[in-house]
Amino acid sequence: MKSRVVGAAPHAATDQQSSARAVREMFTSIAPRYDLLNHVLSCNIDRLWWWRTARQFDHILKHRNARVLDLCCGTGDMTFALGRRVGEGAAQILGADFSHAMLQRAAVKGRGTTLRWIEADALRLPFPDGHFNLVTSAFGFRNLADYDAGLREIARVLAPGGECGILDFGEPGGLIGHAYRVYFKRVLPAIGTLLSGVRGPYAYLPASVERFPSPDEMLGRMHQAGFREVSWTPYTFGIAGLYRGVRLNF
Ligand SMILES: C[S@@+](CC[C@H](N)C(=O)[O-])C[C@H]1O[C@@H](n2cnc3c(N)ncnc32)[C@H](O)[C@@H]1O
């Protein structure tokens, strides 16, 4: 059984501050090749996962005045998937990330859209309480230095009855899980290091997934942070999965 982890702990990080700094530097270093690597290493399945996640929230996205925050948006692919589901003048969608280099790429890709971008730390969001109707995060939440603080901050900026969707990697079981682990722990770090030219981030990825709470534990933590109707839906044999929750009405 895994012990209860506070949050991400990249190699050499000694406390939450150094962990957050290491994560930001890591993503900044791979920003130029991030999209290419994502698509190559996931065989383009990442696009399906973003699409599946976005369509779960159509009931909010189609609302004229809905406010949507995509946390840890990186180069923006989850944000774009959300944007494709809203009509003209419908939900306002904002992507937030603390890596300037990742956000810059999102902004270039998003030219001509109504999406907006902000440089912000997911653990200290510059928004008032109850501001958003939906907060999503794809493959970013796992990198936070404090998962419970991250969930509480998401709950804080959500309006009562607002929803949260966290898409992240999982650890599939059985034979598929065995084959996948060989790929994820050996092949992926080797290709990632070769293509990005940066040693480290692609070894950190499987280590961070291994460290991440199990679905049952995550759902318990979401409950504790003030979410109800919490659920986890596995995608592609559990290689990824979507956590959902509704912010409690106080
Ligand atoms: C794996 S990328 C995911 C990007 C994008 N959501 C996607 O699906 O491709 C993780 C992102 O989370 C961001 N991130 C990690 N910790 C963060 C924090 N505390 N605040 C804001 N962004 C953070 C990183 O800068 C990085 O861009």
Side-chain angles (χ1 to χ4, degrees):
M1 208 173 112
K2 292 178 186 174
S3 59
R4 189 178 175 90
V5 296
V6 175
H11 183 62
T14 50
D15 54 23
Q16 288 185 22
Q17 254 185 337
S18 61
S19 168
R21 199 177 324 116
V23 165
R24 189 169 53 232
E25 284 168 5
M26 197 160 58
F27 283 104
T28 297
S29 72
I30 57 171
R33 291 276 173 103
Y34 178 80
D35 285 339
L36 171 73
L37 275 154
N38 244 2
H39 302 322
V40 169
L41 294 172
S42 75
C43 304
N44 263 329
I45 296 175
D46 50 359
R47 295 181 200 275
L48 175 73
W49 294 335
W50 290 313
W51 171 77
R52 282 188 70 177
T53 299
R55 77 173 174 162
Q56 297 298 321
F57 299 105
D58 271 354
H59 57 291
I60 299 175
L61 295 166
K62 305 287 183 208
H63 250 264
R64 240 194 127 56
N65 297 317
R67 293 197 187 119
V68 179
L69 174 66
D70 182 35
L71 264 188
C72 304
C73 67
T75 59
D77 284 329
M78 181 71 240
T79 328
F80 295 121
L82 294 165
R84 279 191 283 275
R85 303 200 68 84
V86 308
E88 193 56 35
Q92 304 161 28
I93 305 179
L94 186 60
D97 200 285
F98 71 177
S99 162
H100 186 73
M102 294 288 273
L103 266 186
Q104 265 183 329
R105 304 190 84 80
V108 169
K109 283 159 66 181
R111 270 189 201 133
T113 69
T114 56
L115 304 176
R116 289 177 302 133
W117 312 98
I118 183 168
E119 203 168 316
D121 187 334
L123 298 181
R124 277 174 295 277
L125 291 170
F127 305 109
D129 296 357
H131 190 68
F132 293 100
N133 305 98
L134 170 64
V135 175
T136 58
S137 182
F139 308 109
F141 185 86
R142 176 179 28 87
N143 301 294
L144 300 187
D146 186 333
Y147 300 137
D148 292 326
L151 288 171
R152 284 194 301 270
E153 189 63 347
I154 294 173
R156 182 187 71 75
V157 298
L158 274 174
E163 296 188 33
C164 138
I166 297 172
L167 171 65
D168 222 311
F169 288 112
E171 293 188 297
L175 265 184
I176 288 180
H178 184 72
Y180 177 70
R181 268 190 296 284
V182 173
Y183 169 74
F184 201 54
K185 289 188 174 176
R186 298 190 188 280
V187 182
L188 180 146
I191 301 176
T193 302
L194 191 75
L195 291 185
S196 67
V198 184
R199 211 176 262 283
Y202 289 91
Y204 161 78
L205 175 58
S208 68
V209 173
E210 199 168 53
R211 194 180 156 79
F212 196 61
S214 67
D216 277 351
E217 190 187 330
M218 259 300 280
L219 295 178
R221 289 182 179 215
M222 289 174 75
H223 203 265
Q224 263 182 348
F227 291 98
R228 295 296 175 261
E229 298 172 43
V230 294
S231 64
W232 178 71
T233 307
Y235 289 176
T236 319
F237 309 109
I239 290 173
L242 176 66
Y243 295 93
R244 291 184 68 173
V246 179
R247 208 274 214 177
L248 183 65
N249 274 298
F250 292 107

